[in-house]
């Protein structure tokens, strides 16, 4: 289990909680008129709820396949996120029910009289309490979703803190020297900086490093540097916009050390030259 893994999961869950809170506020303060206006107002809320449900499923699968499962109490954490998935799905269902209860206008079949103003008003009046109830239920489920995400993110952060506390105090003296690739990456970040992104092209949950000077830095190399406290990233910015990476004082101290040499090639066995004494003629 590595610290960056836990940190990324906690940050992603916190961002997801904020998204649920924002949608909760939109649903709770929704103002609409039954009919076409309600359809236009509620439709984007439903689409957002469905997107958040899909994102929650992605987070659950990523967490279930991560080293987090070795943390004591992680089963309860996974169950918590599964309950968030259920609540998000119910919120989508409630928004769908609100659209189902919405009175729509249209032309009746031939032979049936068209609704007059009184009938339309009556249909709208009868629909409002039903729609209001469904919207209130959706807001409640979204509030539960946000709370669950915050709860799990806090639990992961505490697990990370406990892991750091339990680490031996002699960790720095026993760590292996930087590899040539790690030193080059640290040197690049110290020279021009860089950013950590969550790649939208490769799928949610996949991160990459973009160095400002164009140096290619693998995510494994970045995590190795972050684990040793040589680099720091600004978590106040979302991964979608890019989190700024800076080199710490400890990282600059590491750069002051002699540059590591690349591993020498494996020597090939060479046949030993033997000299055969020239025979003596008799």
């Amino acid at each position: 289990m590595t610290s960056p893994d836990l940190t990324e999961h906690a940050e992603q869950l916190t961002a997801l909680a904020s998204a649920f809170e924002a949608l909760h506020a939109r649903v709770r303060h929704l103002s609409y008129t039954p009919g076409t206006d309600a359809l236009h107002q509620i439709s984007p809320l439903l689409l957002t709820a469905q997107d958040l449900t899909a994102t929650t499923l992605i987070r659950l699968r990523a967490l279930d396949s991560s080293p987090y499962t070795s943390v004591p109490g992680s089963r309860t954490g996974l169950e918590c996120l599964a309950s968030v998935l259920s609540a998000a799905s119910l919120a989508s269902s409630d928004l769908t029910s609100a659209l189902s209860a919405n009175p729509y206008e249209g032309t009746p079949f031939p032979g049936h009289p068209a609704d007059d103003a009184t009938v339309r008003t009556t249909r709208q009046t009868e629909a409002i309490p039903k729609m209001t109830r469904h919207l209130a239920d959706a807001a409640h489920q979204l509030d539960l979703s946000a709370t669950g995400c915050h709860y799990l993110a806090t639990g992961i952060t505490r697990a990370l803190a406990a892991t750091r506390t339990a680490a031996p105090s002699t960790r720095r003296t026993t760590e292996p020297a930087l590899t040539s690739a790690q030193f080059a990456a640290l040197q690049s970040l110290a020279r021009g900086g860089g950013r950590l992104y969550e790649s939208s092209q490769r799928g949610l949950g996949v991160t990459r490093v973009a160095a400002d000077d164009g140096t290619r830095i693998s995510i494994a190399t970045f995590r190795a540097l972050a684990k040793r406290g040589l680099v720091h990233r600004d978590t106040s910015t979302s991964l979608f916009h890019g989190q700024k990476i800076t080199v710490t004082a400890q990282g600059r101290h590491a750069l002051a050390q002699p540059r590591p040499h690349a591993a020498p090639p494996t020597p090939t066995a060479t046949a030993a030259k033997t000299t055969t004494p020239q025979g003596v003629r008799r």
Side-chain angles (χ1 to χ4, degrees):
M1 177 179 59
T2 62
S3 298
D5 287 337
L6 284 175
T7 302
E8 287 181 20
H9 283 301
E11 290 174 353
Q12 290 166 352
L13 288 168
T14 300
L16 184 57
S18 298
F20 276 121
E21 289 172 340
L23 182 57
H24 168 264
R26 291 172 61 190
V27 172
R28 186 177 180 184
H29 299 98
L30 180 65
S31 176
Y32 65 93
T33 300
T36 302
D37 178 65
L39 177 61
H40 291 169
Q41 296 290 341
I42 299 175
S43 293
L45 304 181
L46 173 59
L47 293 175
T48 302
Q50 291 173 335
D51 286 342
L52 291 179
T53 301
T55 302
T56 303
L57 179 57
I58 292 173
R59 296 288 177 250
L60 177 59
R61 293 180 60 181
L63 203 60
D64 182 64
S65 60
S66 74
Y68 170 71
T69 55
S70 63
V71 175
S74 57
R75 183 174 67 182
T76 300
L78 293 173
E79 291 173 347
C80 174
L81 192 53
S83 69
V84 171
L85 179 64
S86 176
S89 179
L90 288 174
S92 297
S93 178
D94 289 325
L95 291 171
T96 303
S97 296
L99 289 178
S100 178
N102 183 43
Y104 297 94
E105 300 294 337
T107 303
F109 286 110
H112 293 268
D115 295 340
D116 56 20
T118 302
V119 174
R120 286 195 295 270
T121 301
T122 301
R123 292 179 61 219
Q124 292 180 355
T125 302
E126 293 176 347
I128 289 176
K130 299 177 182 178
M131 298 177 67
T132 300
R133 184 176 66 254
H134 291 309
L135 291 173
D137 290 342
H140 175 66
Q141 296 298 337
L142 292 170
D143 184 47
L144 292 178
S145 299
T147 300
C149 288
H150 277 307
Y151 175 83
L152 183 53
T154 300
I156 293 177
T157 301
R158 288 175 179 172
L160 175 59
T163 301
R164 289 173 175 171
T165 302
S169 59
T170 59
R171 180 180 177 183
R172 291 184 181 178
T173 61
T174 59
E175 286 181 342
L178 292 177
T179 65
S180 179
Q182 291 171 350
F183 189 91
L186 189 62
Q187 194 174 51
S188 170
L189 293 173
R191 181 168 52 245
R195 290 183 180 275
L196 183 70
Y197 291 91
E198 184 172 57
S199 177
S200 59
Q201 296 179 346
R202 300 181 182 179
L204 296 175
V206 179
T207 52
R208 64 180 179 87
V209 178
D212 291 348
D213 65 358
T215 300
R216 297 186 64 179
I217 302 176
S218 68
I219 190 64
T221 298
F222 168 76
R223 287 176 175 173
L225 297 175
K227 182 179 180 181
R228 297 173 64 166
L230 305 181
V231 294
H232 170 77
R233 59 186 173 124
D234 182 10
T235 57
S236 64
T237 306
S238 71
L239 286 168
F240 292 103
H241 293 89
Q243 297 177 344
K244 185 177 181 181
I245 302 172
T246 55
V247 176
T248 64
Q250 185 178 347
R252 296 190 180 278
H253 176 74
L255 287 173
Q257 306 305 312
R259 184 185 182 97
H261 298 288
T266 304
T268 57
T270 57
K273 294 183 178 180
T274 58
T275 56
T276 304
Q278 198 167 4
V280 180
R281 291 184 180 179
R282 292 184 180 179

